[in-house]
Amino acid sequence: MKKILALAAAGMLAVPAHAEELEVALEIPRLRIAEYHRPYVAMWVETESGKTAATLNVWYDTDAKGEDGRKWLPDLRTWWRRAGRAMTMPADGISGPTRAPGQYRVRHASGSKPLSALAPGNYRLQVEAAREVGGRELVTIPFQWPPRRAATASARGTTELGTVRLITRP
């Protein structure tokens, strides 16, 4: 530890001034239905007034056979109206393929996209899922940025999403 501190003091080790972190843990539930399609999922941060501050992740069919999977992004209605229609997909570091039922974690640190432009204040994490021949669901979790101390908040979906947990760390 002393060696690390000495290297940092000598300017030989990069130590971030602050490295706040936002982690989203979410569950895509297994549904017992005849025709199952993986859901499209969008995760974004919005201000208390409902303005999009940052899109964190968009999972969609990036390998659609015979058609462009972006065609169905408007099914994520809330995200699409607030931010999606203005974005070009695929978006580096944001877009990715749909996920099978299971537990997933995504992390974003301050100073890196998409959180680099997030000003201090009160926000809401929005997680929306939409599935072909299925439903659509939106889960909201309020939080403060930057976090003063480590905090965890969660919400639970009823159909397309299971538990969504937001962990913020200073």
Side-chain angles (χ1 to χ4, degrees):
M1 183 67 171
K2 287 181 183 179
K3 187 174 184 177
I4 291 172
L5 292 173
L7 289 171
M12 299 173 71
L13 179 68
V15 178
H18 52 82
E20 295 91 2
E21 184 179 76
L22 182 147
E23 178 181 327
V24 180
L26 74 117
E27 175 189 10
I28 297 175
R30 180 169 305 282
L31 303 175
R32 307 268 182 231
I33 56 175
E35 186 177 348
Y36 180 82
H37 298 273
R38 292 179 177 187
Y40 279 31
V41 176
M43 295 174 244
W44 73 99
V45 174
E46 68 180 28
T47 63
E48 289 181 301
S49 64
K51 181 181 178 206
T52 299
T55 296
L56 303 175
N57 296 89
V58 180
W59 299 343
Y60 67 97
D61 192 353
T62 57
D63 191 32
K65 292 171 180 56
E67 64 181 49
D68 187 349
R70 293 176 292 188
K71 173 182 176 181
W72 305 106
L73 285 172
D75 286 354
L76 294 165
R77 287 187 220 136
T78 305
W79 170 77
W80 182 256
R81 290 178 184 145
R82 294 184 183 164
R85 71 177 84 196
M87 291 185 71
T88 300
M89 291 294 188
D92 190 28
I94 293 173
S95 56
T98 59
R99 308 300 201 272
Q103 304 280 335
Y104 298 93
R105 288 182 180 268
V106 292
R107 289 188 175 118
H108 297 280
S110 64
S112 63
K113 281 191 170 181
L115 296 180
S116 59
L118 208 60
N122 294 318
Y123 293 94
R124 294 186 296 240
L125 170 71
Q126 301 281 35
V127 179
E128 183 174 26
R131 194 170 45 81
E132 182 182 356
V133 192
R136 187 179 77 66
E137 186 163 39
L138 177 66
V139 171
T140 302
I141 302 173
F143 71 98
Q144 181 180 28
W145 191 260
R148 292 186 183 125
R149 63 179 103 51
T152 301
S154 63
R156 182 160 178 73
T158 57
T159 56
E160 302 302 326
L161 292 167
T163 301
V164 177
R165 190 170 46 256
L166 172 65
I167 301 124
T168 53
R169 297 178 187 94

